[in-house]
Amino acid sequence: MSDAAWHTRIRCGNEVGAGFLVSARQVLTCAHVVADDGTSPVSVSFPNRADLGEVTATVAVHGGWRGGGTDPGDLAVLELEREVPLTPAVFAPPGAERGVPAPELVAYGFPRGYDEGTLALYRAVPGPLIAGEWVQLEAVSGHGQPLAGGFSGAAVTLADGSVVGMITAVAGGREVRAGRMLPTEVMARHWSGLGELVPTPGHGTDDLRALYSLVRRAERTGPRCDPDRLYVDAVGPFGPPLPDGGFASLASAAAYVQWEVPEPEAVTRFAGRLRELLDGPAPRPSVWSPVVVEIEHSGAGADQVTVEVSACRDGRRHPVGTRRLPRSGVRAYVQERIDEAVARLEPGAEELLAFVLPREWLNEPVADWECGADDPTPLGCAYPLVVADRSRQRSGRLRHQLRKKWQKLDTGPGAAVHRVECAVRERPPGLRKRLWDAGAELVGFAVPPTAARQHFEVGLNVPVPVLLWPRTGCPAPGHDGPCPGSAFLDELTASLAGVAPAELPQHVQSLRMAADAADEPDRHWARDVQLLWDDPRCFPETAASLHSPVA
């Protein structure tokens, strides 16, 4: 503890208390410690760094405490007159004080006669928060230092020095060895700046910084925002109900979503809705109306497949033709039926041509097929064209997980490209973990599926909404000379920067048209790009297998 220079002693008029540094110029303490700041100066000193002297401070944020012993919001943020060269306190995850067995907790305070400070050893009492605000503390032994005056505002830490809360109420005498603390999640309700400092399982640091940046912006300059309505929008009809009495501020609502709502995507939805209120609605992704070409092995022979062409309208598939064919006859049949299917779409709808294929067909050059005998335009230039994996479309797990991914993508910017290089050396389980841990939304392969089959199957069996690859290129890893696959990924990454995933079919169509119009089409990097784009919301489910008598 002697190395924790971020502990502070605070003096305001006749009141002495404790506090702790959370940034180079910010100190947390209790509001009642600095209640006289209007008439008396506030000074902060660092007992483990006496060379810094006393630093004058002002109250920058008040938690809403009104003067009573049981009033909530007994928190104040002090702004120092100058930065101090110290490492701020580090926070433990919320709830760390309630382990089994309950860990010993340390508080550093300044009771009468201990200007240099002294330590008190306590434990959290199991059970609910008192009045939704406080954790009750009881002394580890009957012989140690009680939580007397001078401990108010002290950080409560684990043995490793990480902060789990702040002392707000102390005992009335040496025979009473109990007190109360504000846990970190409650402190964040009263000061939004704390939310991004506390590690929270399921939430990335960047997401939390973005959330609380929006909260501060709304509190400072934004329009009036109803925190109760934002909460309900974020958690949805099946989320935790609105707490009794609602939320007093946007900050308290954001903190509640962060720590009390188990679904991580609720934070994303809360931030997205708040951003809409501040900036106006974001451009909504195009609502695609697919023409689906679904191909399935018919069971009548290795070369026989069943092909169904249908138009999607009003949430249903409307078949325009189904036929069993040899593989060599598929292209001509599809060319005959696509125009009929497009004619059945809603007038003015954004058409999307989607080939739902068996896994071994995913590299088929369907984008290069001509529109018809009298129209040599490649299908990939005539339509936004994507492929989808038929096995994926039959997986309830993946459909559910992909829907959640797209809900997040709808409110965010363009997705980052997670690269799988030609000379990939990670084992397939390692790639699976990398994509899961990153929450990958878009994966780019440097080689076609035949050259890295196991890695490609990992990409299909993890809920990644978008996969792209070159249909030709490096036939296998370990070749000599420049790698065309890496060059493809470099061009792809630059081309997709800032493109919303919902707009990728149209963007890739423009790439195909540019490649087709180039002086040397075969040398254009996007000449044979294949796009697997899988948004379950665009593809109504079929009721049965194509070759089933029921279908």
Side-chain angles (χ1 to χ4, degrees):
M1 295 292 291
S2 62
D3 295 331
W6 45 263
H7 290 285
T8 66
R9 182 177 186 268
I10 296 170
R11 183 165 51 85
C12 179
N14 295 323
E15 189 74 29
V16 173
F20 51 105
L21 190 74
V22 294
S23 76
R25 287 191 65 178
Q26 291 176 311
V27 170
L28 276 178
T29 189
C30 288
H32 76 259
V33 171
V34 291
D36 294 333
D37 69 301
T39 57
S40 302
V42 179
S43 66
V44 178
S45 58
F46 299 85
N48 292 307
R49 282 293 302 273
D51 58 300
L52 295 176
E54 288 195 345
V55 182
T56 301
T58 56
V59 177
V61 177
H62 194 283
W65 179 76
R66 294 173 302 201
T70 58
D71 285 338
D74 191 3
L75 173 147
V77 182
L78 308 183
E79 184 168 342
L80 303 177
E81 64 176 349
R82 56 181 169 84
E83 292 188 358
V84 292
L86 300 176
T87 301
V90 174
F91 289 86
E97 73 277 3
R98 295 179 179 271
V100 179
E104 293 183 345
L105 305 174
V106 181
Y108 193 142
F110 304 90
R112 185 182 300 275
Y114 290 93
D115 289 353
E116 75 285 3
T118 188
L119 303 178
L121 199 59
Y122 278 68
R123 284 195 179 96
V125 176
L129 295 179
I130 298 173
E133 185 87 355
W134 300 281
V135 170
Q136 183 168 324
L137 302 177
E138 290 185 354
V140 170
S141 74
H143 307 289
Q145 170 67 47
L147 292 177
F151 274 92
S152 292
V156 181
T157 69
L158 300 173
D160 64 3
S162 57
V163 177
V164 297
M166 179 178 72
I167 300 294
T168 57
V170 300
R174 296 193 63 85
E175 299 304 319
V176 182
R177 299 182 181 275
R180 291 180 179 179
M181 78 168 187
L182 284 182
T184 52
E185 64 269 26
V186 174
M187 294 165 66
R189 295 182 203 164
H190 304 303
W191 179 44
S192 63
L194 194 63
E196 61 194 285
L197 301 177
V198 180
T200 312
H203 301 300
T205 302
D206 290 343
D207 290 341
L208 293 177
R209 285 175 178 164
L211 169 66
Y212 285 103
S213 176
L214 289 167
V215 168
R216 287 192 293 272
R217 179 179 159 200
E219 291 174 336
R220 184 174 64 252
T221 62
R224 179 178 174 82
C225 301
D226 182 352
D228 294 352
R229 178 61 184 269
L230 275 172
Y231 174 81
V232 171
D233 287 348
V235 302
F238 303 110
L242 188 71
D244 292 343
F247 297 104
S249 66
L250 277 176
S252 62
Y256 197 90
V257 171
Q258 177 183 351
W259 281 310
E260 304 295 337
V261 178
E263 185 189 8
E265 288 78 8
V267 165
T268 302
R269 290 195 292 270
F270 189 99
R273 180 67 180 127
L274 182 55
R275 185 180 288 107
E276 280 189 8
L277 292 173
L278 293 172
D279 299 334
R284 294 184 63 82
S286 297
V287 179
W288 297 107
S289 294
V291 167
V292 177
V293 178
E294 185 159 5
I295 299 173
E296 180 187 16
H297 294 296
S298 69
D303 187 48
Q304 296 292 310
V305 295
T306 302
V307 183
E308 180 182 272
V309 181
S310 56
C312 296
R313 183 171 176 173
D314 302 324
R316 297 176 54 200
R317 290 193 190 186
H318 300 271
V320 299
T322 303
R323 185 173 297 180
R324 181 185 297 167
L325 295 163
R327 183 163 183 163
S328 59
V330 171
R331 182 189 303 196
Y333 180 74
V334 169
Q335 291 168 332
E336 293 172 4
R337 294 296 185 176
I338 284 179
D339 276 349
E340 183 180 352
V342 171
R344 296 196 182 187
L345 297 177
E346 187 78 27
E350 293 288 341
E351 71 273 11
L352 173 74
L353 184 53
F355 282 78
V356 180
L357 303 172
R359 193 157 287 190
E360 65 272 21
W361 280 53
L362 287 175
N363 205 46
E364 186 74 17
V366 291
D368 291 343
W369 291 1
E370 296 177 347
C371 286
D374 300 324
D375 184 354
T377 306
L379 287 174
C381 294
Y383 302 97
L385 184 151
V386 303
V387 300
D389 176 42
R390 196 167 188 284
S391 296
R392 259 189 169 205
Q393 299 235 336
R394 298 298 183 267
S395 169
R397 171 183 70 86
L398 287 171
R399 305 327 282 164
H400 175 73
Q401 293 171 342
L402 284 166
R403 285 188 185 94
K404 293 197 297 181
K405 280 285 184 71
W406 278 104
Q407 286 175 351
K408 181 178 180 181
L409 287 170
D410 284 346
T411 60
V417 177
H418 292 265
R419 300 168 63 120
V420 181
E421 300 284 357
C422 167
V424 61
R425 303 208 180 271
E426 59 186 332
R427 295 170 55 245
L431 175 62
R432 181 184 301 112
K433 185 177 187 303
R434 172 158 72 93
L435 298 181
W436 266 110
D437 290 348
E441 297 154 347
L442 192 159
V443 174
F445 288 85
V447 297
T450 52
R453 187 169 302 279
Q454 288 184 314
H455 293 84
F456 193 79
E457 296 228 354
V458 166
L460 292 174
N461 292 326
V462 171
V464 178
V466 181
L467 286 79
L468 294 107
W469 66 90
R471 290 194 306 272
T472 58
C474 305
H479 57 78
D480 296 326
C483 177
S486 291
F488 169 84
L489 289 180
D490 291 342
E491 294 280 2
L492 182 72
T493 301
S495 175
L496 300 189
V499 179
E503 301 299 334
L504 282 174
Q506 198 168 46
H507 183 75
V508 171
Q509 180 191 16
S510 69
L511 292 177
R512 289 170 174 148
M513 294 178 69
D516 190 59
D519 291 338
E520 297 182 87
D522 290 340
R523 297 177 64 86
H524 193 282
W525 73 269
R527 177 68 183 86
D528 60 355
V529 63
Q530 193 84 320
L531 169 63
L532 187 148
W533 184 90
D534 194 356
D535 184 349
R537 302 169 300 179
C538 286
F539 299 110
E541 297 180 2
T542 54
S545 172
L546 296 183
H547 62 264
S548 162
V550 178

